[in-house]
Amino acid sequence: MRHLLLALPFALLPLAAAQAHDDHDHEHGSLGAHEHGVASLNVALDGQALELQIDSPAMNFVGFEHAAKSDADKAKVAAAKAELEKPIELFGLAAGACQVTKQELESPLFGEHDHHHEDEAHEHEHADANEHEHEHSDIEASYQLSCKQVDALKQLDLSELFKRFPATQKIQVQLIGPSGQQGVELTPAQPRLSF
């Protein structure tokens, strides 16, 4: 009986650890959740077709997440949108002779009220507080490009993105390319990823 009681805390340890992990994920978010300073980027290179999709808290790109009411806030939103309309510069794609064939920029801050991609957990957490209904605004940008010199396209370089949006501290990248699939965290100090 004594051995069973001694073994019980060790038997329950994995359950406690799993519960603590689940609680941590719910409180602080897991990969892909809304976290200031962090963005996610999906990249797929197939032949000459290159697709990129970045999802970031608006805080990283404009410095706030509320609706832009003042002229200064509206100017910040317009400036961020203008920067996001230059994917070849932002992602260091000049070497591939790439041209944008399609791009979509979406955010409640851009005045598009039909898209609400807020994390359900955040919606649930803030359901009682109506004044915080849009507290977590994201900016999503999707790009389709055609690259004529794919062989010259050796890497993704986010140096410009980090420079133009300094509140972005890390970007979780999922890349599918000629070398297979890879996932990596890029930072201002380590902004490049080879295809």
Side-chain angles (χ1 to χ4, degrees):
M1 180 74 162
R2 185 164 184 243
H3 292 293
L4 182 58
L5 290 175
L6 287 174
L8 191 56
F10 294 104
L12 295 177
L13 190 60
L15 291 174
Q19 180 63 38
H21 180 70
D22 287 345
D23 288 345
H24 181 266
D25 278 354
H26 180 71
E27 288 174 16
H28 301 289
S30 56
L31 183 64
H34 186 100
E35 184 181 345
H36 294 175
V38 180
S40 66
L41 174 65
N42 295 316
V43 181
L45 178 61
D46 184 21
Q48 293 186 336
L50 175 63
E51 292 192 28
L52 302 118
Q53 192 259 329
I54 190 163
D55 187 2
S56 173
M59 181 68 74
N60 298 348
F61 291 162
V62 297
F64 57 87
E65 297 189 340
H66 57 270
K69 293 187 167 90
S70 72
D71 288 343
D73 284 355
K74 289 176 183 177
K76 287 179 185 177
V77 170
K81 191 172 182 181
E83 292 294 342
L84 289 168
E85 290 173 343
K86 304 173 188 171
I88 293 171
E89 295 171 25
L90 284 180
F91 301 104
L93 302 171
C98 299
Q99 291 193 344
V100 179
T101 58
K102 182 179 178 183
Q103 73 180 14
E104 292 179 29
L105 303 177
E106 298 176 4
S107 174
L109 300 183
F110 298 155
E112 299 164 9
H113 298 291
D114 58 331
H115 271 61
H116 297 285
H117 292 291
E118 293 180 9
D119 186 66
E120 287 181 28
H122 282 18
E123 284 181 31
H124 181 70
E125 277 177 25
H126 299 296
D128 344 324
N130 289 337
E131 70 271 10
H132 296 295
E133 187 177 333
H134 294 289
E135 180 179 333
H136 296 296
S137 296
D138 286 348
I139 294 177
E140 295 178 17
S142 300
Y143 309 95
Q144 292 178 359
L145 298 98
S146 176
C147 301
K148 293 178 182 168
Q149 298 175 0
V150 178
D151 293 341
L153 199 59
K154 302 290 185 202
Q155 66 183 2
L156 194 63
D157 184 347
L158 304 185
S159 302
E160 271 307 304
L161 192 142
F162 285 116
K163 181 178 159 189
R164 294 177 190 200
F165 301 112
T168 304
Q169 299 161 359
K170 56 186 168 181
I171 299 177
Q172 305 286 346
V173 182
Q174 292 293 318
L175 181 139
I176 300 173
S179 304
Q181 184 174 351
Q182 47 184 318
V184 70
E185 183 177 282
L186 297 180
T187 63
Q190 197 73 306
R192 293 173 194 85
L193 174 63
S194 296
F195 280 106

